[in-house]
PDB file of all heavy atoms in Angstrom:
ATOM      1  N   SER A 281     126.677  56.952  86.018  1.00  0.00           N
ATOM      2  CA  SER A 281     127.833  57.094  85.241  1.00  0.00           C
ATOM      3  C   SER A 281     128.388  58.372  85.403  1.00  0.00           C
ATOM      4  O   SER A 281     127.846  59.393  85.321  1.00  0.00           O
ATOM      5  CB  SER A 281     127.461  56.822  83.764  1.00  0.00           C
ATOM      6  OG  SER A 281     128.586  56.982  82.994  1.00  0.00           O
ATOM      7  N   HIS A 282     129.754  58.381  85.731  1.00  0.00           N
ATOM      8  CA  HIS A 282     130.413  59.592  85.868  1.00  0.00           C
ATOM      9  C   HIS A 282     131.282  59.941  84.580  1.00  0.00           C
ATOM     10  O   HIS A 282     131.954  60.991  84.612  1.00  0.00           O
ATOM     11  CB  HIS A 282     131.398  59.541  87.094  1.00  0.00           C
ATOM     12  CG  HIS A 282     130.688  59.523  88.283  1.00  0.00           C
ATOM     13  ND1 HIS A 282     129.969  60.487  88.894  1.00  0.00           N
ATOM     14  CD2 HIS A 282     130.626  58.538  89.259  1.00  0.00           C
ATOM     15  CE1 HIS A 282     129.414  60.131  89.958  1.00  0.00           C
ATOM     16  NE2 HIS A 282     129.792  58.930  90.302  1.00  0.00           N
ATOM     17  N   GLY A 283     131.212  59.082  83.555  1.00  0.00           N
ATOM     18  CA  GLY A 283     132.063  59.263  82.356  1.00  0.00           C
ATOM     19  C   GLY A 283     132.723  58.100  81.841  1.00  0.00           C
ATOM     20  O   GLY A 283     132.233  56.994  82.224  1.00  0.00           O
ATOM     21  N   HIS A 284     133.865  58.197  81.191  1.00  0.00           N
ATOM     22  CA  HIS A 284     134.606  57.121  80.739  1.00  0.00           C
ATOM     23  C   HIS A 284     135.525  56.540  81.892  1.00  0.00           C
ATOM     24  O   HIS A 284     136.240  57.278  82.494  1.00  0.00           O
ATOM     25  CB  HIS A 284     135.562  57.521  79.545  1.00  0.00           C
ATOM     26  CG  HIS A 284     134.834  57.918  78.444  1.00  0.00           C
ATOM     27  ND1 HIS A 284     134.319  57.083  77.480  1.00  0.00           N
ATOM     28  CD2 HIS A 284     134.450  59.254  77.941  1.00  0.00           C
ATOM     29  CE1 HIS A 284     133.667  57.703  76.477  1.00  0.00           C
ATOM     30  NE2 HIS A 284     133.870  59.102  76.747  1.00  0.00           N
ATOM     31  N   GLU A 285     135.329  55.201  82.129  1.00  0.00           N
ATOM     32  CA  GLU A 285     136.163  54.687  83.159  1.00  0.00           C
ATOM     33  C   GLU A 285     137.683  54.661  82.836  1.00  0.00           C
ATOM     34  O   GLU A 285     138.061  54.386  81.734  1.00  0.00           O
ATOM     35  CB  GLU A 285     135.728  53.166  83.500  1.00  0.00           C
ATOM     36  CG  GLU A 285     134.330  53.085  84.092  1.00  0.00           C
ATOM     37  CD  GLU A 285     134.002  51.595  84.332  1.00  0.00           C
ATOM     38  OE1 GLU A 285     134.640  50.692  83.736  1.00  0.00           O
ATOM     39  OE2 GLU A 285     133.035  51.412  85.028  1.00  0.00           O
ATOM     40  N   VAL A 286     138.430  54.972  83.831  1.00  0.00           N
ATOM     41  CA  VAL A 286     139.917  54.826  83.731  1.00  0.00           C
ATOM     42  C   VAL A 286     140.295  53.646  84.560  1.00  0.00           C
ATOM     43  O   VAL A 286     140.184  53.661  85.835  1.00  0.00           O
ATOM     44  CB  VAL A 286     140.686  56.134  84.185  1.00  0.00           C
ATOM     45  CG1 VAL A 286     142.216  55.941  84.062  1.00  0.00           C
ATOM     46  CG2 VAL A 286     140.239  57.373  83.439  1.00  0.00           C
ATOM     47  N   ILE A 287     140.797  52.630  83.946  1.00  0.00           N
ATOM     48  CA  ILE A 287     141.058  51.261  84.575  1.00  0.00           C
ATOM     49  C   ILE A 287     142.556  51.110  84.561  1.00  0.00           C
ATOM     50  O   ILE A 287     143.162  51.206  83.464  1.00  0.00           O
ATOM     51  CB  ILE A 287     140.350  50.141  83.856  1.00  0.00           C
ATOM     52  CG1 ILE A 287     138.819  50.378  83.806  1.00  0.00           C
ATOM     53  CG2 ILE A 287     140.710  48.763  84.491  1.00  0.00           C
ATOM     54  CD1 ILE A 287     138.079  50.308  85.089  1.00  0.00           C
ATOM     55  N   ARG A 288     143.153  50.726  85.711  1.00  0.00           N
ATOM     56  CA  ARG A 288     144.601  50.393  85.793  1.00  0.00           C
ATOM     57  C   ARG A 288     144.801  49.037  85.162  1.00  0.00           C
ATOM     58  O   ARG A 288     144.097  48.042  85.378  1.00  0.00           O
ATOM     59  CB  ARG A 288     145.110  50.374  87.223  1.00  0.00           C
ATOM     60  CG  ARG A 288     146.579  50.231  87.322  1.00  0.00           C
ATOM     61  CD  ARG A 288     147.082  50.427  88.746  1.00  0.00           C
ATOM     62  NE  ARG A 288     146.362  49.803  89.729  1.00  0.00           N
ATOM     63  CZ  ARG A 288     146.117  50.220  90.958  1.00  0.00           C
ATOM     64  NH1 ARG A 288     146.849  51.264  91.393  1.00  0.00           N
ATOM     65  NH2 ARG A 288     145.461  49.510  91.883  1.00  0.00           N
ATOM     66  N   ASP A 289     145.738  48.959  84.162  1.00  0.00           N
ATOM     67  CA  ASP A 289     146.039  47.789  83.381  1.00  0.00           C
ATOM     68  C   ASP A 289     146.462  46.581  84.254  1.00  0.00           C
ATOM     69  O   ASP A 289     146.031  45.470  84.018  1.00  0.00           O
ATOM     70  CB  ASP A 289     147.086  48.029  82.287  1.00  0.00           C
ATOM     71  CG  ASP A 289     146.497  48.840  81.047  1.00  0.00           C
ATOM     72  OD1 ASP A 289     145.264  48.903  80.943  1.00  0.00           O
ATOM     73  OD2 ASP A 289     147.192  49.575  80.464  1.00  0.00           O
ATOM     74  N   SER A 290     147.350  46.838  85.240  1.00  0.00           N
ATOM     75  CA  SER A 290     147.875  45.748  85.908  1.00  0.00           C
ATOM     76  C   SER A 290     146.929  44.923  86.762  1.00  0.00           C
ATOM     77  O   SER A 290     147.224  43.746  86.983  1.00  0.00           O
ATOM     78  CB  SER A 290     149.049  46.315  86.845  1.00  0.00           C
ATOM     79  OG  SER A 290     148.442  47.234  87.837  1.00  0.00           O
ATOM     80  N   ASP A 291     145.856  45.536  87.333  1.00  0.00           N
ATOM     81  CA  ASP A 291     144.965  44.837  88.085  1.00  0.00           C
ATOM     82  C   ASP A 291     143.457  45.159  87.889  1.00  0.00           C
ATOM     83  O   ASP A 291     142.627  44.721  88.713  1.00  0.00           O
ATOM     84  CB  ASP A 291     145.294  45.043  89.597  1.00  0.00           C
ATOM     85  CG  ASP A 291     145.253  46.427  90.092  1.00  0.00           C
ATOM     86  OD1 ASP A 291     144.842  47.376  89.237  1.00  0.00           O
ATOM     87  OD2 ASP A 291     145.455  46.808  91.274  1.00  0.00           O
ATOM     88  N   ASN A 292     143.187  45.816  86.835  1.00  0.00           N
ATOM     89  CA  ASN A 292     141.772  46.203  86.503  1.00  0.00           C
ATOM     90  C   ASN A 292     141.090  46.994  87.518  1.00  0.00           C
ATOM     91  O   ASN A 292     139.829  47.043  87.634  1.00  0.00           O
ATOM     92  CB  ASN A 292     140.974  44.944  86.208  1.00  0.00           C
ATOM     93  CG  ASN A 292     141.420  44.411  84.906  1.00  0.00           C
ATOM     94  OD1 ASN A 292     141.862  44.998  83.902  1.00  0.00           O
ATOM     95  ND2 ASN A 292     141.464  43.019  84.813  1.00  0.00           N
ATOM     96  N   ALA A 293     141.827  47.806  88.367  1.00  0.00           N
ATOM     97  CA  ALA A 293     141.220  48.660  89.468  1.00  0.00           C
ATOM     98  C   ALA A 293     140.732  49.905  88.757  1.00  0.00           C
ATOM     99  O   ALA A 293     141.275  50.472  87.876  1.00  0.00           O
ATOM    100  CB  ALA A 293     142.212  49.021  90.424  1.00  0.00           C
ATOM    101  N   LEU A 294     139.546  50.330  89.149  1.00  0.00           N
ATOM    102  CA  LEU A 294     138.896  51.580  88.707  1.00  0.00           C
ATOM    103  C   LEU A 294     139.684  52.702  89.417  1.00  0.00           C
ATOM    104  O   LEU A 294     139.636  52.726  90.694  1.00  0.00           O
ATOM    105  CB  LEU A 294     137.357  51.548  89.054  1.00  0.00           C
ATOM    106  CG  LEU A 294     136.729  52.927  88.720  1.00  0.00           C
ATOM    107  CD1 LEU A 294     136.799  53.182  87.148  1.00  0.00           C
ATOM    108  CD2 LEU A 294     135.324  52.857  89.219  1.00  0.00           C
ATOM    109  N   LEU A 295     140.247  53.634  88.601  1.00  0.00           N
ATOM    110  CA  LEU A 295     140.956  54.687  89.226  1.00  0.00           C
ATOM    111  C   LEU A 295     140.163  55.998  89.253  1.00  0.00           C
ATOM    112  O   LEU A 295     140.424  56.876  90.057  1.00  0.00           O
ATOM    113  CB  LEU A 295     142.202  54.954  88.325  1.00  0.00           C
ATOM    114  CG  LEU A 295     143.158  53.849  88.167  1.00  0.00           C
ATOM    115  CD1 LEU A 295     144.303  54.247  87.195  1.00  0.00           C
ATOM    116  CD2 LEU A 295     143.704  53.400  89.468  1.00  0.00           C
ATOM    117  N   GLY A 296     139.145  56.078  88.397  1.00  0.00           N
ATOM    118  CA  GLY A 296     138.318  57.276  88.351  1.00  0.00           C
ATOM    119  C   GLY A 296     137.668  57.323  86.917  1.00  0.00           C
ATOM    120  O   GLY A 296     137.542  56.313  86.187  1.00  0.00           O
ATOM    121  N   TYR A 297     137.333  58.508  86.533  1.00  0.00           N
ATOM    122  CA  TYR A 297     136.580  58.797  85.351  1.00  0.00           C
ATOM    123  C   TYR A 297     137.129  60.026  84.612  1.00  0.00           C
ATOM    124  O   TYR A 297     137.647  60.912  85.245  1.00  0.00           O
ATOM    125  CB  TYR A 297     135.182  58.974  85.489  1.00  0.00           C
ATOM    126  CG  TYR A 297     134.467  57.849  86.209  1.00  0.00           C
ATOM    127  CD1 TYR A 297     134.364  57.769  87.537  1.00  0.00           C
ATOM    128  CD2 TYR A 297     133.804  56.809  85.452  1.00  0.00           C
ATOM    129  CE1 TYR A 297     133.698  56.634  88.136  1.00  0.00           C
ATOM    130  CE2 TYR A 297     133.226  55.789  85.998  1.00  0.00           C
ATOM    131  CZ  TYR A 297     133.139  55.674  87.434  1.00  0.00           C
ATOM    132  OH  TYR A 297     132.564  54.660  88.007  1.00  0.00           O
ATOM    133  N   VAL A 298     136.921  60.061  83.219  1.00  0.00           N
ATOM    134  CA  VAL A 298     137.036  61.359  82.576  1.00  0.00           C
ATOM    135  C   VAL A 298     135.653  61.593  81.934  1.00  0.00           C
ATOM    136  O   VAL A 298     134.955  60.709  81.400  1.00  0.00           O
ATOM    137  CB  VAL A 298     138.084  61.312  81.481  1.00  0.00           C
ATOM    138  CG1 VAL A 298     139.538  61.319  82.194  1.00  0.00           C
ATOM    139  CG2 VAL A 298     137.945  60.213  80.540  1.00  0.00           C
ATOM    140  N   ARG A 299     135.173  62.808  82.171  1.00  0.00           N
ATOM    141  CA  ARG A 299     133.855  63.237  81.697  1.00  0.00           C
ATOM    142  C   ARG A 299     133.966  64.449  80.829  1.00  0.00           C
ATOM    143  O   ARG A 299     134.669  65.358  81.118  1.00  0.00           O
ATOM    144  CB  ARG A 299     132.917  63.524  82.837  1.00  0.00           C
ATOM    145  CG  ARG A 299     131.573  63.932  82.452  1.00  0.00           C
ATOM    146  CD  ARG A 299     130.625  64.038  83.632  1.00  0.00           C
ATOM    147  NE  ARG A 299     130.999  65.061  84.564  1.00  0.00           N
ATOM    148  CZ  ARG A 299     130.535  65.048  85.827  1.00  0.00           C
ATOM    149  NH1 ARG A 299     129.665  64.244  86.286  1.00  0.00           N
ATOM    150  NH2 ARG A 299     130.918  66.100  86.639  1.00  0.00           N
TER     151      ARG A 299
END
Side-chain angles (χ1 to χ4, degrees):
S281 174
H282 292 294
H284 297 279
E285 292 182 342
V286 178
I287 305 291
R288 186 168 48 206
D289 291 333
S290 64
D291 61 0
N292 292 322
L294 176 64
L295 303 177
Y297 300 89
V298 291
R299 178 169 64 195

